[in-house]
Amino acid sequence: MKNLFQFSRLIMGIVFAALLFSGFSAIATEKKGSKESKKIKVLLVDGQNNHNWAKTSPIMKATLEKSGRFTVDVATAPPRGKDMSKFRPKFKNYDVVLSNYNGQDWPEATQKDFEEYVKAGGGVSIIHAANNSFPKWKAFNEMIGLGGWGGRNEKSGPYIRLRDGKFVEDHSKGRGGSHGRQHPFSVTHHVPDHPILKGLPKKWLHARDELYDRLRGPAKNMKVLATSFAAKSHGGTDEHEPIIMTISYGKGRIFHTPMGHSPHSMLCTGFQFILLRGTEWAAKGKVTFKKIPKNFPTEDKVSLFDPIKGEVPAEKKKKK
Ligand code: ZN
């Protein structure tokens, strides 16, 4: 009897030790994984665009991942004209969808997935020509607030114009979307306390880019955070054009910037920092990038950085 008692105590001891050990290892595993699992999961969508998506997607991916805050998967759609019916990325597995896509309509099921994802609180980042896509998809146009081309006109919604310090709707007839010649241009902040803009200079010089003007759309639940003046001397509208916007759709948050025409435009450290903050805000509703980078552009000086090579690019020959 005594032996049996000792034996059962031994067994209990082993079981206890095993439980303790497995408990410890579970904690250890969790700790190890927590840094990765805390990262914001981004799905970058590309594959069709009248712009150099094959060059610009890697710049955005490197910008996001090298910040240490994001992991980026890429969903590349089949080329234009190929069978799109199987293109159905799993939006729901991500915190934010970053669109570098301007192409054919997605299959209906994919559109429905996307609408449900955003309604339920999914984040979206819209970059440059991504706002040209899907002119007939009502929900998408509500998400982006403003868009251009693809037959957009007064039926798509108003222009948004800055008048006496306020943004007003202009329902006059006319095309949606145009631009003048590429040039470096100033970005002016109108909501400096917004988490995406906080602490940044109120005016800074963006690297050579295409300045979209005359965008139009439903502009519902949209806040214009920043504008750029499209000077007539560069073929623009002589208007302060929306250049950074936030939109809400259902529970979802959308960050939208028409900046980012070319790889060069995306080497702008201002674009990169706004992309980081905007994408984080769309995913989480807050911004943890508090510290302003030392190389952020100033009011009169462009600042470039190549996030893939991790260096300041050599000055290219100036196009006139
Ligand atoms: Zn462009």
Side-chain angles (χ1 to χ4, degrees), residues 49-51 128-129 132 149 179 182 209-212 258 260-262:
N49 201 321
N50 57 329
H51 293 70
H128 196 63
N132 297 189
W149 294 271
H179 60 75
Q182 289 183 51
D209 203 336
E210 206 171 61
L211 174 42
Y212 277 1
H261 167 77
S262 67

